[in-house]
């Protein structure tokens, strides 16, 4: 019998009624497959745990944070298993260290690098349904680790990889990947098939429906991923290799971020090495600088430098810049009211004029573009947060995504 991996997100296991529905979905697959289940914590539970850690300290220990926030998954897995046992199935919950799932990297941001297969395989052979805690593992010191918010997507894809599963099905609260967030734009259209490359860009640029690392793992390991809803039986979206896709659209999707901040240094000395002096200490402190723009110096002496970071890094960034003795500037400005809006599509590689059409349709809405960045399959612009809905709606129309 073939193996299938099913992942259930927070809303899908949000109440005991939802968990009963999830058990029914699992039971259906069990008729045809050996089923491995990965579950998130019930919705809201991980956030509550994080808030508790903040009440103890703003600098709560990273290793204890992982022990704390990983506990939500234990609860939901036991509830799913309990319900399956109730229905007469052979099922048990597995906590990451019992398997074990091995990770590497820092606490809070580890990555799964190995999964021990023996116990799960023999359990599957006995007809059991393992319900496994997502979002976590153990490191080489035998300590509990977590793999970043939304990490159960990556846990499921790594299980599909190690167990050579036929596919990995991600059950969530929307019935697929849409041209843009369907909860924000009513005319968003479901995408039937999307390439890893486009999905990775959409996820990295803000489409919460899949965690970006999970798509990197799926692409590397060639795992077919189906995204569907645990609330309806509608067909979902397949995330797969480019060569399986025939697509006539220039743009596949539009994403936007909600946690960017803009930093501007006014009147910086315009001389070689200055940008390096600004960015080196930021990178040494693990602050990820994203979009960068430097104005042309009018007098040859001074210039303005603007860049974006994650808004949670704002305080740290401010401190680092103010303490940096290697740079001089006239003023330092921070702006949290920004959002990066991106259009994504492999079709733009072969289609001229996409940039122009994007900028023109934003201009028609009187939306000012603050910073621009591009890659082969995406164009991103930084705009004022208040214009995001208007921008997405205009771009959605311009590139005929509602058709
Ligand atoms: P889960 O808890 O199941 O992991 P998430 O909340 O992480 O679910 O992801 C699902 C949400 O992603 C949806 O409710 C939707 O609002 C959001 N989303 C953002 N962009 C998209 C998109 N392009 N397509 C579908 N959903 C999207
Ligand atoms: N429960 C974790 C979170 O909320 C992991 C997940 O949902 O995938 O981030
Ligand atoms: Mg998620």
């Amino acid at each position: 019998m073939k193996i299938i991996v099913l992942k259930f997100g927070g809303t899908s296991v949000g109440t005991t009624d939802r968990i009963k529905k999830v058990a029914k979905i699992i039971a259906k697959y069990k008729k045809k497959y050996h089923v491995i289940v990965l579950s998130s914590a019930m919705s809201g539970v991980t956030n509550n745990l994080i808030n508790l850690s903040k009440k103890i300290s703003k600098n709560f220990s990273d290793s204890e944070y992982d022990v704390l926030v990983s506990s939500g998954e234990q609860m939901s897995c036991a509830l799913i298993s309990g319900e399956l046992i109730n229905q007469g199935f052979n099922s048990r919950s597995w906590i990451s260290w019992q398997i074990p799932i091995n990770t590497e990297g820092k606490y809070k941001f580890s990555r799964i690098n190995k999964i021990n297969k023996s116990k799960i395989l023999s359990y599957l052979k006995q007809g059991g349904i393992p319900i496994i805690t997502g979002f976590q593992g153990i490191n080489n010191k035998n300590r509990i680790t977590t793999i970043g918010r939304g990490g159960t997507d990556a846990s499921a894809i790594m299980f599909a990889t190690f167990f050579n599963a036929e596919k990995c099905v991600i059950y969530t609260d929307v019935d697929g990947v849409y041209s843009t967030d369907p909860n924000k734009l009513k005319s968003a259209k479901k995408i039937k098939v999307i390439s890893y490359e486009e999905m990775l860009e959409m996820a990295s640029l803000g489409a919460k429906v899949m965690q970006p690392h999970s798509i990197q793992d799926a692409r590397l390991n060639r795992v077919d991923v189906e995204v569907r809803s645990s609330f309806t039986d509608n067909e979902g979206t397949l995330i797969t290799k480019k060569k399986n896709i025939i697509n006539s659209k220039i743009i596949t999707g539009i994403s936007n971020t909600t946690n960017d901040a803009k930093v501007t240094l006014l009147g910086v000395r315009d001389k070689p090495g200055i940008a390096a002096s600004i960015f080196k200490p930021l990178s040494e402190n693990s602050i990820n600088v994203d979009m960068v723009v430097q104005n042309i110096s009018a007098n040859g002496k001074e210039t303005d430098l603007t860049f974006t970071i994650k808004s949670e890094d704002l305080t740290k960034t401010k401190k680092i810049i103010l303490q940096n003795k290697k740079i001089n500037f006239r003023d330092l400005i921070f702006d949290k009211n920004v959002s990066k809006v991106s259009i994504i599509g492999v079709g733009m590689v072969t289609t001229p004029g996409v940039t122009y059409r994007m900028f023109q349709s934003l201009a028609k809405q009187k939306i000012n573009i603050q910073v621009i960045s591009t890659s082969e399959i995406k164009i991103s612009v930084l705009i004022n947060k208040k214009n995001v809905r208007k921008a997405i709606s205009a771009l959605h129309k311009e590139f005929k995504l509602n058709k």
Side-chain angles (χ1 to χ4, degrees):
M1 227 196 278
K2 291 211 160 197
I3 294 178
I4 197 159
V5 174
L6 310 180
K7 177 257 172 175
F8 295 94
T11 334
S12 299
V13 295
T15 62
T16 47
D17 281 345
R18 296 299 321 153
I19 285 177
K20 286 180 184 164
K21 175 77 205 303
V22 159
K24 280 197 186 121
I25 296 174
I26 297 170
K28 231 161 81 193
Y29 283 97
K30 183 72 182 96
K31 290 182 188 148
K32 269 178 69 187
Y33 293 98
H34 285 306
V35 185
I36 298 178
V37 176
L38 272 293
S39 182
S40 299
M42 297 169 90
S43 57
V45 168
T46 310
N47 284 345
N48 288 343
L49 293 167
I50 294 173
N51 288 338
L52 288 176
S53 78
K54 285 183 184 155
K55 280 190 183 164
I56 295 287
S57 162
K58 268 192 184 152
N59 297 313
F60 195 83
S61 145
D62 286 352
S63 52
E64 291 309 325
Y65 171 99
D66 281 359
V67 178
L68 176 70
V69 304
S70 61
S71 64
E73 273 69 15
Q74 179 168 339
M75 182 173 138
S76 50
C77 286
L79 288 168
I80 301 172
S81 267
E83 171 59 17
L84 285 167
I85 294 167
N86 241 6
Q87 291 185 18
F89 288 96
N90 176 12
S91 178
R92 66 157 278 197
S93 58
W94 295 79
I95 303 164
S96 52
W97 59 266
Q98 297 175 313
I99 298 176
I101 300 168
N102 296 109
T103 64
E104 58 188 356
K106 292 181 182 168
Y107 291 108
K108 291 169 118 175
F109 304 104
S110 291
R111 299 286 292 266
I112 294 172
N113 60 359
K114 196 173 156 250
I115 297 170
N116 188 320
K117 287 164 56 176
S118 56
K119 290 180 204 159
I120 297 294
L121 275 181
S122 68
Y123 187 62
L124 288 174
K125 279 192 193 127
Q126 293 162 32
I129 310 174
I131 315 294
I132 300 166
T133 53
F135 176 51
Q136 58 201 276
I138 53 169
N139 63 16
N140 57 11
K141 295 188 185 115
N142 232 6
R143 308 263 327 239
I144 295 205
T145 53
T146 61
I147 61 171
R149 294 305 306 271
T152 307
D153 293 340
S155 303
I157 282 159
M158 291 311 278
F159 267 84
T161 302
F162 276 90
F163 286 85
N164 209 3
E166 187 175 285
K167 66 180 167 186
C168 178
V169 190
I170 304 286
Y171 275 96
T172 182
D173 57 4
V174 278
D175 62 0
V177 178
Y178 278 69
S179 50
T180 191
D181 189 342
N183 289 322
K184 300 214 178 102
L185 190 75
K186 283 229 156 57
S187 57
K189 276 274 166 321
K190 201 192 313 180
I191 301 166
K192 275 195 177 152
V193 197
I194 184 168
S195 65
Y196 298 119
E197 289 74 14
E198 288 174 311
M199 189 66 237
L200 180 58
E201 290 284 7
M202 281 186 69
S204 310
L205 295 164
K208 195 187 166 211
V209 61
M210 288 299 298
Q211 192 220 31
H213 285 320
S214 74
I215 301 300
Q216 271 173 340
D217 293 335
R219 176 169 67 167
L220 197 68
N221 301 304
R222 297 300 189 213
V223 175
D224 275 349
V225 182
E226 199 180 308
V227 179
R228 56 191 307 156
S229 167
S230 65
F231 292 72
T232 69
D233 289 331
N234 299 349
E235 239 182 80
T237 297
L238 177 68
I239 308 170
T240 185
K241 296 187 265 293
K242 239 189 292 190
K243 74 168 204 256
N244 296 348
I245 302 171
I246 318 155
N247 192 350
S248 55
K249 285 207 166 84
I250 303 165
I251 299 302
T252 304
I254 306 173
S255 290
N256 79 286
T257 59
T258 49
N259 60 343
D260 277 316
K262 185 178 75 166
V263 181
T264 304
L265 281 91
L266 291 175
V268 186
R269 287 272 301 280
D270 194 11
K271 60 171 191 183
I274 200 72
S277 309
I278 295 168
F279 295 133
K280 190 171 169 227
L282 294 179
S283 92
E284 283 167 351
N285 283 281
S286 309
I287 293 170
N288 194 12
V289 172
D290 181 19
M291 306 170 98
V292 183
V293 62
Q294 186 179 337
N295 286 344
I296 295 168
S297 165
N299 56 10
K301 287 182 191 145
E302 277 188 349
T303 181
D304 302 335
L305 187 80
T306 295
F307 58 91
T308 62
I309 51 168
K310 294 276 152 269
S311 38
E312 69 250 26
D313 290 332
L314 208 54
T315 317
K316 216 159 127 192
T317 302
K318 192 171 183 178
K319 203 166 142 200
I320 293 169
I321 293 177
L322 292 174
Q323 283 171 351
N324 189 342
K325 298 218 162 62
K326 291 199 172 139
I327 52 172
N328 289 306
F329 50 88
R330 208 173 347 103
D331 206 356
L332 184 59
I333 303 169
F334 296 100
D335 187 357
K336 272 191 171 187
N337 287 319
V338 289
S339 175
K340 183 166 69 167
V341 173
S342 310
I343 57 172
I344 297 117
V346 286
M348 72 171 77
V349 180
T350 48
T351 316
V354 178
T355 317
Y356 162 74
R357 280 171 67 186
M358 179 181 198
F359 294 174
Q360 194 198 37
S361 55
L362 294 176
K364 269 193 202 152
Q365 302 296 322
K366 302 202 167 25
I367 296 171
N368 188 32
I369 299 172
Q370 304 179 10
V371 189
I372 301 162
S373 75
T374 62
S375 80
E376 209 181 20
I377 64 165
K378 70 119 209 270
I379 306 168
S380 302
V381 295
L382 194 75
I383 61 172
N384 191 307
K385 234 179 209 165
K386 70 169 197 256
N387 290 324
V388 168
R389 267 173 196 259
K390 207 159 71 173
I392 290 179
S393 166
L395 294 169
H396 206 262
K397 251 197 214 132
E398 171 66 34
F399 293 102
K400 303 188 171 48
L401 289 179
N402 31 358
K403 295 260 160 64

